[in-house]
Structure formats: structure tokens, C-alpha cells
Amino acid sequence: MARTDNDSWEITESVGATALGVAASRAAETESDNPLIRDPFARVFLDAVGDGVWNWFSAPQLPAELLESEPDLALQMRSMVGYMASRTAFFDSFFLDATNAGIRQVVILAAGLDARSWRLPWPDGTTVYELDQPRVLDFKASTLNEHGAQAACNRIAVPVDLRHDWPAALRQAGFDPAVPSVWSAEGLMPYLPAVAQELLFERVQGLTAIGSRVAVEALGPKFLDPDTRAKRRARMDRVRTFLAEKDPQREIPSTDELWYFEEREDVGEWFGRHGWDVTVTLSLELMAGYGRRVPEQVEDQVPGNLFVAAQRARI
Ligand SMILES: C[S@@+](CC[C@H](N)C(=O)[O-])C[C@H]1O[C@@H](n2cnc3c(N)ncnc32)[C@H](O)[C@@H]1O
């Protein structure tokens, strides 16, 4: 589905469905033999919507014939589950370190079906502001309410479009820019045009006191590489053609149709220039650190994203 400047979505469509895709990965990891993270709510969301294209991201069993003709496919899909688990673990630790160091205002940009408000051991007095599109946040709250889940913090939903003027809504919800805060932007960047990404960081800058922290899953240099993109497309087209005959029920996502392939400023450099102390970890290093080393033959099929962690040191 092509993107437009003011598009919006249900949880099962367009960019909304990508939040279900991430939930499918987290459910697969949670239910695996040796999980790196445990997110019991991921399965609750998936059960609420039934089967769909999002289940591709849980690395489902595929026909043997397909795996013979695409020998790296199963490994690639398992590595993607490992990628999502490592990413989840990274942001979990980032938030817990910040709140254990005394920060009590948390902002999750593009929260999607991230269930951290329910599953992390937040210190008393922590408020978590979750920003995402209204129908995504409604689905999440109503599904977890029906499940009887209780948030483990003071959780405040802030329904907004992150391309629009969301700081007013965040302040109105009770956020205090004069007090340090901790922020995440996980699984968001490719869905924002480059101009909106720049504006997002400027707005974060305007809302953060010294001592605040920000973590971003930033796009790496290979994101724009035409070869990588063409190879990914060709591989998925082959899989799509094969499954159209053998397993027509199985839907294959075209996530990159939802992405903005545009030049962007390096996120670590942006924060460095604006008075933040920055550390950057490459995705493959992050995964190796969590015991999810990626086999060489599928290294280029795992997102080459950069995990940026920053702390505001100066005005
Ligand atoms: C891939 S999901 C990631 C969700 C969550 N951060 C996670 O990692 O589980 C992308 C999320 O970004 C949200 N999103 C993308 N563009 C947005 C925008 N312009 N305004 C608000 N939310 C947006 C989508 O609704 C979706 O929930």
C-alpha cells in the first residue's frame, strides 16, 4: 500500500500491521527454548487478530520444496527473530538503567504493541507516555484490558501522528520538559520521511532537560544501497511466486513499500552536534553480544541498523 503524507491505519493494515509483525517475532522468541526476552502479551495481541501477513515474522514452517530452492530462507527468518529479540533486550535495558538512575518520565515514540508498560519492573512513581496513532493505541489498550492485564507503571496513551505537532499533546498529557526524561524510537525511522525524522529529533531536543536519555534504532548506511534492496525484492518475489501455487493462504509482506528511501543525517552525529554524549552499536555486534550471532551467509539479510544511545550533557 503506497504511503501518503497524512495516512493513518488500523492495527491490521499498512504500517499498523508492522507492529503485529514485531509482536509475532517477540511471541516466537518468548515461546522458543532459550528466550532472550519474555513478552507474554505478544501472543495475546496475535490471538486477538487471528492469522495474517504479520505471522511471516514469527518464522513459520515453510514447505520443504521452498526451503530446498531457497536454502538460506529459514536461517534468514530465524536471524530476524534473533534481531527483534536483541533489539527488544537493548531497549529494555536502556529504560531500566535510566529509571534505576532516577529518571521517572519515559516516552515511547511509536509504541505500537510494545508491552513494556505492562511487563517491565518500573520503579515506583514512573510514568510512561506511549505515542502512536489512535487506532493502534486503542487496539492495544482494549486487548490488554480484556485480558485483565494491569500496567506496571502510570501508563498514559498519547494518540498522535508523529509527523504532526505532537509535543503539545505530550505536554497536555502531563509531561514536564523541565525534568529529565528517557525516550525510545524503536522500529520507527524507515516509516518516517527524512524531513519528519529531522523534525522529530528537533522536537525531542526542545522537550529534554540535561541528564535526559534517548535511544534510537537508526538506519545504517546500507539502507539506501540499491543492490541490497534489489536482492531483497527479488528474493521475496521468488518466495511469493512459489507460495502462490503451493500455499496460497500464506501471505508475504512487502514491508519496504511502506518505507521512505531517502537520505538522512546520521542519527549519532545529529545528537553529538546537539550536546549529547553518544554511543553507537552495530546490529550484528548487538546480536553477538546477546548470543544471537548471525551466520555469515545471511549477514547481509539482517537489518544493518545502528543502535544509538545518547545522554544530554549540554544545552
Ligand atoms: C514496526 S512498528 C514498531 C512498534 C514498536 N516500537 C515495537 O518495536 O514493537 C512501527 C510503529 O510505528 C508507528 N508509526 C509509524 N509512523 C507513525 C506516525 N507517523 N505516527 C505515529 N505512529 C507511527 C506505527 O503505528 C507502528 O506502531
Side-chain angles (χ1 to χ4, degrees), residues 142-172:
S142 62
T143 306
L144 292 186
N145 277 346
E146 271 167 38
H147 186 69
Q150 300 280 339
C153 58
N154 174 31
R155 181 230 176 213
I156 299 185
V158 187
V160 288
D161 189 305
L162 291 164
R163 294 162 291 188
H164 299 162
D165 185 11
W166 51 268
L170 182 60
R171 282 163 176 263
Q172 224 162 21

Side-chain angles (χ1 to χ4, degrees), residues 3 5 109-110 161-164 166-167 183-206 214-221 223-224 258-271 273-274 305-306 308:
R3 301 292 312 275
D5 286 349
L109 298 168
D161 189 305
L162 291 164
R163 294 162 291 188
H164 299 162
W166 51 268
W183 300 63
S184 70
E186 176 189 20
L188 171 62
M189 291 309 139
Y191 303 101
L192 288 182
V195 171
Q197 170 174 321
E198 174 89 22
L199 203 56
L200 184 92
F201 294 149
E202 281 167 15
R203 287 169 168 159
V204 170
Q205 181 79 357
V214 171
V216 179
E217 181 192 16
L219 300 168
F223 180 67
L224 285 182
L258 303 171
W259 294 345
Y260 288 90
F261 290 95
E262 299 175 351
E263 289 284 350
R264 296 154 197 258
E265 182 174 349
D266 181 89
V267 174
E269 282 173 19
W270 192 97
F271 278 97
R273 264 195 315 114
H274 287 83
N305 288 339
L306 308 173
V308 177

Side-chain angles (χ1 to χ4, degrees), residues 3 5 7 9-11 15-23 26 39 84 87-88 91 108-116 131-134 136-137 140 159-164 166 184-193 196 217 255 259:
R3 301 292 312 275
D5 286 349
D7 52 351
W9 41 81
E10 296 285 344
I11 192 67
V15 186
T18 69
L20 282 166
V22 184
R26 283 196 288 258
D39 180 353
M84 291 298 175
R87 163 176 130 174
T88 304
F91 284 98
I108 304 184
L109 298 168
L113 302 179
D114 164 345
R116 289 191 176 94
L131 278 60
D132 206 298
Q133 287 222 348
V136 171
L137 292 176
K140 180 180 188 174
V160 288
D161 189 305
L162 291 164
R163 294 162 291 188
H164 299 162
W166 51 268
S184 70
E186 176 189 20
L188 171 62
M189 291 309 139
Y191 303 101
L192 288 182
E217 181 192 16
T255 312
W259 294 345

Side-chain angles (χ1 to χ4, degrees), residues 72 74-80 284 287 292-302:
D72 290 341
L75 203 51
Q76 179 208 339
M77 292 172 84
R78 276 203 303 279
S79 298
M80 277 306 294
L284 293 177
M287 293 177 71
R292 294 290 187 275
R293 191 174 292 284
V294 179
E296 214 176 302
Q297 70 266 40
V298 294
E299 265 186 8
D300 62 344
Q301 292 165 44
V302 166

